[in-house]
Amino acid sequence: MNYLDGLNVKQKEAALHDKGPILVIAGAGTGKTKVLTSRIANLIDTEKANPYEILAITFTNKAAKEMKTRISALLHTEVDRMWVGTFHSICVRILRKYISVLGYNNNFTIYDTTDQKNLIKKVIKEMAVDPKRFPPNQIKSNISRLKNAEISPDEYISKNYSIYDRRTIGEIYGKYEKELRRNNALDFDDLLIKALDCLRKDDSIAAYYREKFKYILVDEYQDTNNIQYQLVKYLAKRKNAPSNLFVVGDDDQSIYGWRGADIGNILNFEKDFENSKLIRLERNYRSTSTILDAANAVIKNNVNRKGKELYTEDNKGNLITIMKNNNEKEEAYNIAHVISHETNKSDVDYSDFAILYRTNSQSRALEEGLIKLGIPYKIVGGLKFYGRKEIKDIMAYIILLQNPTDDINFLRVINTPTRKIGLKSVASIQQYADENSCSLFEACYNLDDIQLPKAAHNGVSDFVKIVELLMVKKDACEITELINAVYEDTGLKKMFEADETIEGLSRIDNIEEFFSAVTDFEEMNADHSLDSFLTHVSLLSDIDRTKEVDIDVVTLLTIHSAKGLEFSTVFIAGLEDGLFPSIRSSDEDNQDDKLEEERRLFYVATTRAKKNLYLSYAEDRMTFGRHTPGIKSRYLDEIPSEYLDNSLEEEKSNSNPWTGKSHFTSSLKTSYSKPTYSKIAYSKNNCTKAKVKDTFTRDENISLTVGDKVLHKAWGEGTIVSLNGEGEKQKATIAFNNKGIKTLITALAPIKKI
């Protein structure tokens, strides 16, 4: 039984568990995959089950493939007949055999995200609904949410009939479902839902799979949503026999609540399955004891958890380094300098380093810091900053203003946002341009000679007027004002703000970061011309492309993308309240739950590090082209001081890191003084730029009542409209003169009474 070799006492206990339900709480780096594969190998080797009598569910195809490979290697035999796969792939196998009970043909089509959006667009068009009021992306998100909550179109319409927008969403949802059925098609949510419907509708189907799968194993159980939970519970319910359900997970790593995962599934396992056994895997094989002790200290502040204490038999290792930075540019520079210093002095590779961040928009400054020092890198789980769609869209407009003969960028923006200019109309413009040897934009001045439908004709005419007006502004405005005009006048801002999905919110974050990049450029370069800015960006992009092929590179990724990975040295950037934890966690009604999930995300981030961990924050961070104060993340204060090295937080030199004159000392205790910045206010009417000295001082013990006038660091004057909560949890709703209504946590907000 060599598959048991190397297992510790708790791992072996889990792998050898015989009958009945069992929950294995597997902390980060405790070898859960080894336990899963060893258990399956034991079941097969001891003839408790044949391979085809075992169902193992994972969350990625890669994990499923690795599991099969490991089991095959342990038993020295093929295990192709074993059902190992994702929830979706397992459900497809069930549906291909039994979906006819639901009135579908077995040769159903699976619609991907693009197919779904195209179908929703078709439905919206046929219903004569305004796509701006009901954006397809938002409708798709709503339909998914309703499906997973098992709310039918008729039920949703009935409950919301008096509210036009909600009723219309329900009607779109209903017609979308009818169209799917007419096309004999399922979307990704349907794969799970329809499989569950099959089991519920026909008892013989449920009985068949319950008898077939004598043992069921589920990985990453903390990430299951309601439908996945129902599927597992339904399949594991065996008649006159114990439920041989084996689930592995870590409640402290439940970080996908925003996409439907329910931490209650793992917390309530022992209630859901009687006579279940609980085993905790707490010995960590990845990180030093210092990193683990710090992570344990933070996560203990969560209330909703099973509880465990990670430990290691390795040495304590290095202290965790706190990096205090004046701004995001200095943060990027300091991180890059540490990496450069360590790779030069030690026998380490770039691939030993990872930089983690809360949102994709943070990568821009970090990329530029690495580029400045010639450090190769790659981004995991996202495009490089200037390659993202929303950035390419706005850049395409800017490039077209500078070079109207650029047909490539013309084609990108002619119908973005939509102007009812279809592909046939674009082809007609292209044909005219080819016949008259002119650019596509120039061809648009001759619409009377091009046969276009009325709607397309008007759309092209409006597009030309917008571009012409922006060309005038280009010669009169600063770059920041021009780009702001491009963002608003073209309709891009309205388009992006209408998309309230997670993806849409991320795009807004990236646009805000883009404005910060423009302001950075203006502050750091004497030549503020548009041509200079475009050259600057194109050079960054060229460096990106040349580094893409490198193997030995620093990894940049969001914390969500880092789950399951490990690196020798990890930097966590942007540890400021409002960024990490996210400001959105403060605006939700269930604020405590959101903050606990953010803390779990911090726990996941820290436990990616094997040897060295750097926690970084900035006192000033550019957001949407404005400097805003950064308040050190509350999670840093939850780490006992005995685990921290504050030397990079406490010591400052007198040099500006972006002049190129400063250097990093061998002790790595050099930091940098804060450059003098000014807030920049822009007038939309006359393109003037006014500089105001940044003398703002926040009220530390502010006491507010409804009707008070306040001054915000970035948003100016406002009036308190309402107050909710007390103490550190008090939230103020403030109507700002020029920025609309905002809800802020008074203990954290950069405001003072006036």
Side-chain angles (χ1 to χ4, degrees), residues 248-290:
V248 181
D250 184 2
D251 50 315
D252 290 334
Q253 295 189 71
S254 179
I255 59 174
Y256 295 110
W258 51 273
R259 69 182 189 193
D262 186 353
I263 191 175
N265 294 344
I266 193 168
L267 294 178
N268 297 323
F269 182 87
E270 291 162 285
K271 295 179 182 177
D272 291 335
F273 299 94
E274 294 181 359
N275 302 316
S276 58
K277 185 174 185 177
L278 172 64
I279 294 178
R280 290 180 173 86
L281 303 184
E282 297 174 302
R283 181 180 175 184
N284 179 281
Y285 293 89
R286 177 189 298 157
S287 307
T288 65
S289 63
T290 296

Side-chain angles (χ1 to χ4, degrees), residues 120 123-124 127 129 134 139 143 157 167-177:
I120 290 170
V123 168
I124 287 173
M127 292 177 59
V129 173
F134 300 95
I139 295 297
I143 290 174
I157 292 171
R167 183 176 78 243
T168 303
I169 290 171
E171 290 168 349
I172 295 171
Y173 174 22
K175 188 167 177 57
Y176 168 79
E177 288 289 270

Side-chain angles (χ1 to χ4, degrees), residues 380-477:
V380 174
L383 294 170
K384 293 193 177 182
F385 187 80
Y386 289 101
R388 292 166 184 157
K389 180 187 181 302
E390 56 275 16
I391 305 302
K392 289 179 74 67
D393 285 345
I394 199 169
M395 284 294 297
Y397 272 107
I398 299 166
I399 293 168
L400 189 63
L401 297 181
Q402 190 74 352
N403 179 18
T405 63
D406 188 330
D407 288 347
I408 299 298
N409 283 288
F410 172 95
L411 289 171
R412 185 176 186 92
V413 298
I414 180 63
N415 200 40
T416 304
T418 180
R419 300 184 178 90
K420 298 182 179 179
I421 306 170
L423 294 177
K424 289 184 178 179
S425 296
V426 173
S428 297
I429 297 171
Q430 181 75 65
Q431 182 179 351
Y432 181 90
D434 292 342
E435 291 173 354
N436 292 273
S437 301
C438 64
S439 69
L440 293 175
F441 187 77
E442 187 179 351
C444 292
Y445 284 103
N446 300 282
L447 290 181
D448 292 338
D449 298 328
I450 305 174
Q451 297 299 316
L452 297 179
K454 184 177 180 180
H457 184 285
N458 293 338
V460 174
S461 180
D462 290 342
F463 171 72
V464 171
K465 290 176 183 177
I466 291 170
V467 174
E468 284 182 330
L469 179 60
L470 289 170
M471 285 179 175
V472 173
K473 290 184 178 182
K474 175 176 71 74
D475 297 326
C477 297

